[in-house]
Amino acid sequence: MQIKENKKTDRIGVALKKEGPLLSIYFTAGYPHLEDTLPVLRELQKNGVDMIEIGLPFSDPLADGPTIQESSMAALKNGMTTHRLFDQLRDVRSEIHLPLILMGYFNPVLQFGVEAFCEKCREVGIDGLILPDLPLEIYQKQYRAIFEKYGLKMVFLITPQTSEARIRTIDRTSDAFIYMVSTASTTGAQQGFDPAAEDYFKRVSEMNLKNPQIVGFGISNAQTFGQATKHAKGAIIGSAFIKTLTAHGLSGISSFIKSVRP
Amino acid sequence: MENYHADSDGFYGEFGGAFIPEMLYPNVDELKSRYVEIMESPEFQKEFHQLLREYVGRPTPLYFARRLSEKYGARIYLKREDLCHTGAHKVNNTIGQILMARKLGKKRIIAETGAGQHGVATATVCALMGLPCIVYMGEVDIARQAPNVARMKLLGAEVRPARSGSRTLKDATNEAIRDWINNPEDTHYIIGSVVGPHPYPDMVARFQAVISEEIQKQLLEKEGRDAPDYVIACVGGGSNAAGAYYHYLDRPEVGIIAVEAAGKGISTGESAATSALGTVGIIHGSKTLLMQTTDGQITEPYSISAGLDYPGIGPMHAHLFTSGRGEFHSVTDQQAMEAGKELAALEGIIPAIETAHAFAVLKQRTFNPEDILVFNLSGRGDKDLQTYIEHFNL
Ligand SMILES: Cc1ncc(COP(=O)(O)O)c(C=O)c1O
């Protein structure tokens, strides 16, 4: 057993307290090749990102745009499964010290067994979870106690359409960060944010929430990263990073990260 | 007594609910908080029933099938949903939902379709109301259902190919949901069956409940009793079945029989018999029975009938199955085709291949001569002529 110091270190909290805008990268586990999960993590750590979201591939990712749909399909074809991912991550904490968040759809977690899944997460050193189709109300009623028992932080999404009252409920229920979906959309890179999006980032930042906000969906380069982090603590890049992996493989990671945050 | 209707969070026993990403929350929540009040308002009811009467052609007849009854030794009635405008029960739901969309102030309609029946029914009501209509349809289905694609286009709808995944109904549904995420303000999503997040299964079931409401009245006239011994329907997502069962769900003396598509056979790997092959999970925002791997990846169903080619069933049906309230059968392609041919020969009615599955149950179990059976004849077979031609070398 190697629970080690994991339970005590609040890696997400530490990363959020660092000065300057936080850069988080999402990638699909087992993509482009089945055994790339760890090499991608290493490369991201070496290039100074602050946090990583590991995507659990799902056959029907209905909140995702074409890029993540395709990387998920490819990962599944490569043979990626939840069990496989936990095997790959068995010794991850011997070399990766960044906060690690698993992001995926709820059905594979349900099939693994919610408690068994949480236990595995703690065992390998996962810090938090993003399960976009596990809604707040059902989480509170049925699952919160289990996730908390294993010290896992649950991250919830808000969108430009989320009411202020609901944002406050989400803020009370979380103790990591709030995932601020940039625009009403599925995942995918955008050219830039319109003034309405910036107004929304600003509006939420002025709500004095206890949780910092991290913007995701549509961040692709230094410009969108800058726009997003003007009002929010950080930003998450997913599709644009996966496109880099598709085009250049792991050797493209370093220059991509430098181009976003020189 | 067990309750077979949805509770206020949309659960039928352990099944149902709304497992949706936050991006869908405002739209689904708006619908959830308003659908009952809107549907039950006298104004809505008046308009809904007027359109069902004058546009759809309701009430549809309850027809005593004399020759079929003689052959199988039971009193068999057919509820003629095949005589609805557009050729199937699907239009009962789309009429209801288009009125709902209008009450909610929506200006743009999206839908998914497999065989194209629900797409045609949606395109039809959009033409009727002058609303733009986008129908997502798997690329594979577009190729095999060309006449319905043409009908939708003629009705003014845009048919968008779903190119993700396996490019069939499941993927068309994913694409429609993605469209809704990307258009959160002005769009209403008309789901075609009793599937998807709450309140869809309950709302669609309530619109389809006009079927059992009529059966009650018609049977009373013909038999002096308002309930049959058995109501029998095919189940894809489960909307025609939900409509036929609706007023009988809480009457245990009425047997509920559901027929699923076994495709090439339950154990061939090419099947859509969800109750036999499915396990509990989440598909399209609903906790229900679905066909999936042990890793939780949704698998591809197969059936000769595109309308039954769905890897899940609605949460109402999952509950009917696990509680034992419903008796579930599965019928192969071959058995369904034979049953369709038999209905044509004995009663002069060519059923949709979906519907033909229900009739094959007559060969799978016996009934008493005095039993009254109502089959929901969910659709007509015009759209399936090519499949009949190929299957029987006509
Ligand atoms: C005639 C007919 N019956 C049945 C179905 C299956 O759907 P459901 O189970 O929702 O009634 C379809 C679907 O296309 C259909 O066209």
Side-chain angles (χ1 to χ4, degrees):
Chain A
M1 281 293 281
Q2 44 176 346
I3 296 175
K4 287 191 275 185
E5 88 286 21
N6 294 349
K7 236 189 107 198
K8 275 162 266 158
T9 344
D10 176 13
R11 294 190 198 87
I12 298 176
V14 171
L16 289 166
K17 283 194 192 78
K18 260 180 37 186
E19 286 274 323
L22 174 149
L23 172 62
S24 181
I25 295 289
Y26 166 95
F27 75 103
T28 305
Y31 183 80
H33 306 289
L34 181 60
E35 297 303 333
D36 280 341
T37 312
L38 271 176
V40 170
L41 290 173
R42 285 185 200 114
E43 201 60 16
L44 288 172
Q45 173 162 285
K46 203 166 83 193
N47 283 282
V49 313
D50 304 303
M51 190 158 79
I52 301 173
E53 282 156 46
I54 305 172
L56 260 175
F58 180 49
S59 55
D60 294 77
L62 45 78
D64 286 299
T67 305
I68 295 178
Q69 287 171 38
E70 280 157 28
S71 63
S72 301
M73 290 295 275
L76 292 174
K77 271 212 190 87
N78 290 343
M80 185 45 79
T81 64
T82 310
H83 284 276
R84 194 78 183 232
L85 178 60
F86 283 127
D87 281 349
Q88 290 181 344
L89 295 178
R90 193 170 26 209
D91 297 321
V92 69
R93 284 307 178 195
S94 65
E95 49 180 327
I96 305 292
H97 56 261
L98 296 177
L100 294 178
I101 294 176
L102 285 191
M103 180 163 184
Y105 291 82
F106 191 44
N107 193 50
V109 177
L110 210 52
Q111 301 317 310
F112 196 91
V114 174
E115 180 140 18
F117 183 86
C118 291
E119 206 175 334
K120 269 289 182 192
C121 283
R122 184 174 68 181
E123 198 179 303
V124 301
I126 295 298
D127 303 290
L129 295 168
I130 306 175
L131 302 171
D133 61 344
L134 174 58
L136 182 69
E137 293 73 17
I138 294 176
Y139 170 74
Q140 287 171 327
K141 243 193 235 166
Q142 295 183 36
Y143 297 111
R144 184 177 187 165
I146 303 177
F147 288 100
E148 286 182 350
K149 176 173 159 198
Y150 292 92
L152 295 166
K153 296 191 188 284
M154 185 64 100
V155 176
F156 292 98
L157 275 52
I158 63 170
T159 78
Q161 278 73 33
T162 309
S163 70
E164 179 169 337
R166 191 166 167 83
I167 294 176
R168 294 210 181 276
T169 310
I170 286 170
D171 191 41
R172 273 195 303 277
T173 312
S174 321
D175 65 343
F177 60 89
I178 288 177
Y179 192 130
M180 191 156 55
V181 175
S182 63
T183 45
S185 72
T186 44
T187 55
Q190 288 184 10
Q191 287 316 310
F193 293 118
D194 61 15
E198 288 206 42
D199 287 350
Y200 151 65
F201 302 156
K202 184 153 177 283
R203 167 168 64 85
V204 176
S205 77
E206 286 166 356
M207 283 177 69
N208 281 318
L209 302 175
K210 97 178 180 227
N211 289 283
Q213 301 93 57
I214 301 200
V215 180
F217 290 33
I219 320 288
S220 61
N221 51 25
Q223 186 210 339
T224 40
F225 182 73
Q227 280 178 303
T229 53
K230 202 167 121 195
H231 299 290
K233 171 65 198 168
I236 303 162
I237 300 183
S239 296
F241 178 72
I242 287 171
K243 281 185 183 155
T244 299
L245 286 181
T246 307
H248 308 293
L250 275 60
S251 62
I253 294 178
S254 170
S255 57
F256 178 81
I257 301 297
K258 289 194 178 84
S259 76
V260 174
R261 196 170 60 174
Chain B
M1 198 179 78
E2 277 252 28
N3 181 7
Y4 300 101
H5 293 273
D7 71 15
S8 60
D9 292 323
F11 280 94
Y12 299 81
E14 71 164 304
F15 302 109
F19 292 80
I20 49 166
E22 190 64 26
M23 291 77 94
L24 287 174
Y25 181 84
N27 270 325
V28 171
D29 190 55
E30 178 186 35
L31 198 58
K32 175 184 154 190
S33 55
R34 297 197 54 197
Y35 80 109
V36 173
E37 157 228 333
I38 291 177
M39 282 179 77
E40 289 182 348
S41 73
E43 185 198 341
F44 185 97
Q45 282 295 318
K46 182 164 169 250
E47 206 174 354
F48 180 54
H49 285 287
Q50 185 171 351
L51 281 169
L52 289 184
R53 197 168 58 241
E54 293 167 14
Y55 188 72
V56 174
R58 304 204 72 92
T60 58
L62 184 70
Y63 163 72
F64 178 68
R66 187 178 54 82
R67 297 186 67 205
L68 199 65
S69 297
E70 278 167 10
K71 169 146 192 195
Y72 288 100
R75 296 186 62 74
I76 300 176
Y77 285 89
L78 310 181
K79 181 60 175 162
R80 298 292 307 274
E81 294 302 296
D82 59 316
L83 296 177
C84 288
H85 179 42
T86 70
H89 68 289
K90 296 278 179 191
V91 73
N92 302 326
N93 168 43
T94 61
I95 292 274
Q97 285 207 49
I98 199 82
L99 295 176
M100 180 68 62
R102 231 177 39 179
K103 286 275 179 269
L104 296 170
K106 305 294 181 182
K107 302 274 183 274
R108 178 177 174 272
I109 300 297
I110 55 172
E112 86 294 339
T113 199
Q117 285 306 105
H118 174 61
V120 167
T122 305
T124 298
V125 298
C126 287
L128 184 67
M129 298 295 167
L131 288 175
C133 177
I134 293 152
V135 180
Y136 289 90
M137 188 168 185
E139 220 168 32
V140 170
D141 291 335
I142 288 180
R144 64 180 175 182
Q145 304 288 334
N148 272 343
V149 176
R151 288 167 85 195
M152 287 185 266
K153 287 184 178 163
L154 206 53
L155 291 160
E158 180 190 339
V159 180
R160 285 195 192 159
R163 298 202 170 90
S164 58
S166 56
R167 298 170 291 139
T168 58
L169 177 57
K170 161 173 93 73
D171 311 285
T173 308
N174 290 339
E175 287 305 327
I177 292 173
R178 289 178 186 125
D179 180 307
W180 213 18
I181 288 173
N182 284 289
N183 295 280
E185 308 278 1
D186 64 342
T187 298
H188 177 72
Y189 175 22
I190 300 191
I191 285 189
S193 192
V194 287
V195 300
H198 177 62
Y200 278 104
D202 184 49
M203 180 172 72
V204 175
R206 285 172 186 243
F207 287 136
Q208 293 292 0
V210 66
I211 299 173
S212 61
E213 193 185 315
E214 289 176 6
I215 295 173
Q216 285 185 312
K217 283 192 206 122
Q218 293 166 321
L219 206 59
L220 189 62
E221 273 175 26
K222 291 177 197 295
E223 294 278 348
R225 50 187 268 202
D226 72 346
D229 295 293
Y230 298 95
V231 197
I232 305 165
C234 68
V235 173
S239 66
N240 89 86
Y245 305 156
Y246 198 86
H247 287 84
Y248 300 118
L249 287 170
D250 297 325
R251 295 179 62 173
E253 75 276 18
V254 180
I256 281 174
I257 298 181
V259 186
E260 294 183 311
K264 297 189 174 159
I266 296 277
S267 47
T268 62
E270 291 186 80
S271 179
T274 306
S275 68
L277 298 169
T279 51
V280 181
I282 289 161
I283 181 169
H284 298 137
S286 180
K287 187 173 182 192
T288 188
L289 290 171
L290 63 126
M291 291 163 44
Q292 58 183 328
T293 65
T294 51
D295 188 44
Q297 310 300 337
I298 300 175
T299 50
E300 267 316 303
Y302 163 81
S303 165
I304 192 169
S305 104
L308 303 183
D309 206 349
Y310 185 72
I313 48 173
M316 175 202 278
H317 300 289
H319 184 51
L320 290 175
F321 175 69
T322 55
S323 66
R325 174 70 182 93
E327 175 185 318
F328 279 65
H329 292 258
S330 48
V331 158
T332 62
D333 290 355
Q334 178 63 26
Q335 292 166 328
M337 296 304 287
E338 292 294 341
K341 191 178 176 195
E342 181 176 81
L343 189 70
L346 288 180
E347 298 292 344
I349 298 169
I350 302 170
I353 296 171
E354 289 80 7
T355 315
H357 283 73
F359 287 91
V361 92
L362 287 167
K363 293 218 190 309
Q364 292 199 350
R365 88 194 292 292
T366 54
F367 296 94
N368 294 322
E370 64 278 13
D371 280 345
I372 297 177
L373 277 50
V374 173
F375 277 90
N376 196 32
L377 217 170
S378 60
R380 58 182 178 243
D382 306 28
K383 71 181 176 66
D384 296 316
L385 219 47
Q386 195 53 41
T387 312
Y388 278 116
I389 291 169
E390 283 164 24
H391 191 86
F392 293 113
N393 283 316
L394 301 173

